[in-house]
Amino acid sequence: MAATSTATFLSFQSQGNALPQTRPSAVRFSPRYSLVSFSGLKEVTSVNCETESSFISKESSTTLRGSFALKARKANRASRYGLQLVASYKVAILGAAGGIGQPLALLIKMSPLVSALNLYDIANVKGVAADLSHCNTPSQVLDFTGASELGDCLKGANVVVIPAGVPRKPGMTRDDLFNINANIVMSLVEAVADNCPDAFIHIISNPVNSTVPIAAEVLKQKGVYNPKKLFGVTTLDVVRANTFVAQKKNLKLIDVDVPVIGGHAGITILPLLSKTKPTVSFTDEEVEQLTVRIQNAGTEVVEAKAGAGSATLSMAYAAARFVESSLRALDGDGDIYECSFVQSDLTDLPFFASRIKLGRNGVEALIPSDLIGLSEYEGKMLEALKPELKASIEKGIAFVQKQPVTA
């Protein structure tokens, strides 16, 4: 079973390609089965599934190669060109002019699965859209400014990503963000419920432990709540865990996969180092040091930026990975696994981050195996995080119940 997602941000080689290349796999399609017209580039005569590319794990690249080989055979029956990627999904980013929104929009613009990229913000989004529209990739970019245009931005969207909100500043806790960001998420999700209730909803706005329950309550009051399609994006915790473990143990990053469970703030973030792939041993001291660093990685960035912002680039990268996983699931790929903060019955908490399987209808399955056979340290940390996570969830629910949404 593939532990992490693969992405369709691939490396395409053609004559005269000056882009830096990572070590390619041996998988190629012959010239007469070329993939054509990807991202506005010249027709190519080979496809390389890069085993060390940005989003792809070693385990998952095998799945990707098999998937593309199958699609090539099917396409060959219908067309002399063989494999073709068809951009067919609409993605809306709410908060697209912000520190996360801009790089996230660029990364999503690179996806060959996206036909329409709608960018919304309360100001300054027109320039972002104009800039991105010059990139010769398949998606059409449109800008929408202010509440009066929000509905038009959302109509027909397959995936809605919400990074809107105020970023953390030095000395500010995630809880300090609550009152501002809670109102922002509430109003945006109301619009989603009215205009594209069947879309996958990706919540990035912090504190995720509270904003996801807020979104759920809004959708319930609107009568359109589907727990399988509401996600708290915790992919950054996985990305960080993989990176830090690879650095600590001198492993190839492409090989490393660390599941991260719980929530998305402080001690509620629990990397399961005992479940690391490939199997690697840690001393008790290493476990504690790595766990604390992963939990406090956001603060590490806030302090390093010294008042100039929070984790925007790494968050955009992680969110783009989750968007790509969602698009591939919508497109019928049956082997997509990610960690996400979702409605869950794996613990006694109503929401919980864990590994999930994604499909066309959203969450196809929760993966309980990661919670079996935890180390003694992880077991204690799991019990320790529950009261804080429970309080954050309840805070989000209470926020909406105190000020019901408009019908």
Side-chain angles (χ1 to χ4, degrees), residues 54-68:
S54 57
F55 292 167
I56 303 176
S57 71
K58 182 178 181 181
E59 188 175 16
S60 294
S61 66
T62 302
T63 303
L64 182 60
R65 290 194 295 271
S67 172
F68 272 78

Side-chain angles (χ1 to χ4, degrees), residues 10-21 24 28-29 31 34-48 50 136:
L10 303 179
S11 173
F12 297 87
Q13 290 187 334
S14 60
Q15 186 175 4
N17 187 353
L19 295 175
Q21 298 294 327
R28 290 178 182 270
F29 298 124
S34 300
L35 182 144
V36 296
S37 300
F38 168 73
S39 300
L41 302 178
K42 293 180 180 179
E43 178 174 338
V44 297
T45 58
S46 66
V47 177
N48 290 316
E50 300 291 341
N136 61 329

Side-chain angles (χ1 to χ4, degrees), residues 10 21 24 26 37 41 60 69 112 129 131 171 180 228 247 268 277 291 293 319 342 355 362 380 385 400 407:
L10 303 179
Q21 298 294 327
S37 300
L41 302 178
S60 294
D131 198 356
I180 297 174
K228 297 181 182 300
Q247 292 171 344
T268 69
K277 293 181 180 179
T291 299
R293 188 183 179 198
V342 297
R355 198 187 306 269
K380 289 180 179 177
L385 72 82
V400 179

Side-chain angles (χ1 to χ4, degrees), residues 112-163:
L113 289 170
V114 178
S115 59
L117 179 58
N118 289 0
L119 308 182
Y120 169 83
D121 217 314
I122 57 174
N124 305 320
V125 73
K126 189 173 293 292
V128 177
D131 198 356
L132 277 180
S133 70
H134 295 176
C135 299
N136 61 329
T137 62
S139 55
Q140 179 185 18
V141 181
L142 296 175
D143 62 274
F144 302 84
T145 302
S148 63
E149 298 184 6
L150 179 55
D152 290 336
C153 173
L154 291 168
K155 283 183 172 61
N158 303 106
V159 176
V160 178
V161 192
I162 306 181

